[in-house]
Amino acid sequence: MRIKFFTEGGKGIGFGHLMRCLSLCQAFEEISAECLFVIKGTQEVSTALNRPLKLLDWLEDIELFERELKDAHLIVIDSYLAKPEHYEISCKKASRNLFIDDFGRIEYPCGYVLNGSVYAKDLNYPQRQDVVYLLGSEYTPLRRAFWEVGQKEIREKVEKVLITFGGDDSKGMTRKVVNALEREFPHLEKLVVVGSSYKNREELYALASEKVKIYENLSAEGMKNLMLKADIAISAGGQTTYELAAVGVPSVLVAVADNQLLNCKSWHKEGFALYAGWWEDENIEEMVLAAVEKLLKHQLRLFSSTVGRRLVDGQGARRVANKIG
């Protein structure tokens, strides 16, 4: 089976769509599928994906998109920017379609609609005879490294804090959080993750010390291992939250994009994470510190970790592949 993934990523967009598509690809490859990627984005996506791809503006050129559909048995579209006609053309041209959605963006004309978000079942998706919905965190597609995660130790005392705000941290939250933690919790070890598109490296590396360790361009396995070491994570509210839940890392979340707000608030409601606020809030650093203070309590971290692992078991991508393949 030949699968074509159409998505977007890179500077200003991030890498969440890419990682979801890669996760699904890895699961489909287990059942002998071939994956091809067509991406609207910048050159950084090549490094992030680390496999052959086409960088094409399939979103603006409908004819180009239609030509790229040929010879594919399954079309996967993961996009906030695709127009209704992209989906209509895909339904006409391909025998099988999988459309990834986060918030009921449009009414999809056919195929499978995947929303692996923790809040997905609360959305009012229209019921259609020719559409099958795969909803909820049991279908969350995670990278292969997170399919099997060993038991995480929840230490009595917090020693290490993981800080991760995506591949480029376009809102500049990493340095703010590190500075705030250094001021209020100097004894804690800060594990700081930055991606290939991160800006202002010199300013960040100026903060490096025995208690501030910086990790660049981690593999999925490397990221999982760092999560296993961390007692608490401070993260943006996107795809990484599901990896943190699968590992069972009690987390503090900051929404850095509009599409992360519902995710952050839903994780807070479920009890896995504490939502600190919107990145532009005047007192966001203080809210992050207050949430960290709460997570110093061992019982709260035990509860958080249990909730995360119960809701995300890492098998979502395999479930999707088995449903469709």
Side-chain angles (χ1 to χ4, degrees), residues 19-234:
M19 294 303 103
R20 283 198 298 214
C21 289
L22 175 61
S23 304
L24 288 169
C25 170
Q26 290 172 337
F28 279 112
E29 285 176 336
E30 273 199 327
I31 54 175
S32 302
E34 175 192 2
C35 300
L36 304 170
F37 291 84
V38 180
I39 301 171
K40 159 69 173 177
T42 54
Q43 193 60 44
E44 289 80 9
V45 303
S46 298
T47 302
L49 203 58
N50 195 28
R51 60 172 58 213
L53 57 87
K54 286 185 179 180
L55 284 177
L56 295 176
D57 192 354
W58 62 274
L59 287 162
E60 292 302 320
D61 192 330
I62 291 291
E63 291 183 0
L64 174 64
F65 169 71
E66 189 168 353
R67 288 198 300 272
E68 286 293 328
L69 298 179
K70 65 180 180 181
D71 301 327
H73 303 109
L74 170 65
I75 298 299
V76 181
I77 300 178
D78 185 357
S79 174
Y80 289 159
L81 304 174
K83 304 177 181 70
E85 58 189 306
H86 285 98
Y87 300 98
E88 291 163 6
I89 291 170
S90 186
C91 286
K92 290 176 182 176
K93 295 291 183 178
S95 59
R96 281 186 284 182
N97 292 271
L98 171 61
F99 305 135
I100 303 177
D101 180 86
D102 286 331
F103 44 86
R105 192 173 71 90
I106 66 169
E107 186 170 342
Y108 297 91
C110 77
Y112 292 86
V113 174
L114 167 63
N115 185 337
S117 303
V118 69
Y119 55 82
K121 292 178 183 177
D122 295 330
L123 298 180
N124 188 26
Y125 281 101
Q127 297 303 306
R128 294 184 52 144
Q129 188 174 1
D130 49 353
V131 175
V132 176
Y133 294 98
L134 305 177
L135 304 178
S137 56
E138 65 188 289
Y139 293 110
T140 303
L142 299 184
R143 294 176 289 175
R144 184 185 288 114
F146 294 90
W147 294 356
E148 306 290 344
V149 180
Q151 187 63 40
K152 177 175 174 56
E153 178 188 5
I154 305 299
R155 287 187 283 260
E156 188 71 31
K157 291 186 177 180
V158 172
E159 299 175 8
K160 302 175 189 292
V161 182
L162 173 67
I163 299 105
T164 174
F165 281 92
D168 59 1
D169 184 18
S170 59
K171 304 303 189 293
M173 284 302 303
T174 301
R175 283 188 298 118
K176 288 182 181 180
V177 168
V178 172
N179 280 324
L181 289 172
E182 282 285 84
R183 183 177 69 249
E184 295 297 322
F185 301 102
H187 63 287
L188 296 182
E189 186 175 338
K190 294 86 181 171
L191 311 175
V192 185
V193 177
V194 295
S196 58
S197 300
Y198 187 83
K199 299 176 182 177
N200 302 318
R201 273 178 166 73
E202 290 183 4
E203 293 180 17
L204 181 62
Y205 272 97
L207 302 176
S209 67
E210 184 181 347
K211 291 295 185 181
V212 179
K213 298 179 180 177
I214 300 171
Y215 301 83
E216 285 199 61
N217 303 322
L218 287 176
S219 65
E221 192 70 31
M223 190 66 170
K224 180 183 75 173
N225 291 336
L226 210 58
M227 289 179 181
L228 285 167
K229 291 179 182 178
D231 298 295
I232 294 172
I234 302 172

Side-chain angles (χ1 to χ4, degrees), residues 267-295:
W267 277 129
H268 185 102
K269 179 182 176 182
E270 291 289 347
F272 163 62
L274 298 178
Y275 174 48
W278 176 247
W279 72 277
E280 286 182 304
D281 288 347
E282 186 177 349
N283 62 338
I284 188 60
E285 289 101 321
E286 287 71 24
M287 295 299 289
V288 168
L289 293 173
V292 170
E293 184 72 40
K294 290 180 181 178
L295 285 177

Side-chain angles (χ1 to χ4, degrees), residues 153-159 231-232 248-251 272 292 294-307:
E153 178 188 5
I154 305 299
R155 287 187 283 260
E156 188 71 31
K157 291 186 177 180
V158 172
E159 299 175 8
D231 298 295
I232 294 172
V249 189
S251 298
F272 163 62
V292 170
K294 290 180 181 178
L295 285 177
L296 295 181
K297 296 177 182 177
H298 186 237
Q299 286 301 316
L300 181 56
R301 283 183 287 114
L302 279 173
F303 176 75
S304 167
S305 184
T306 301
V307 170

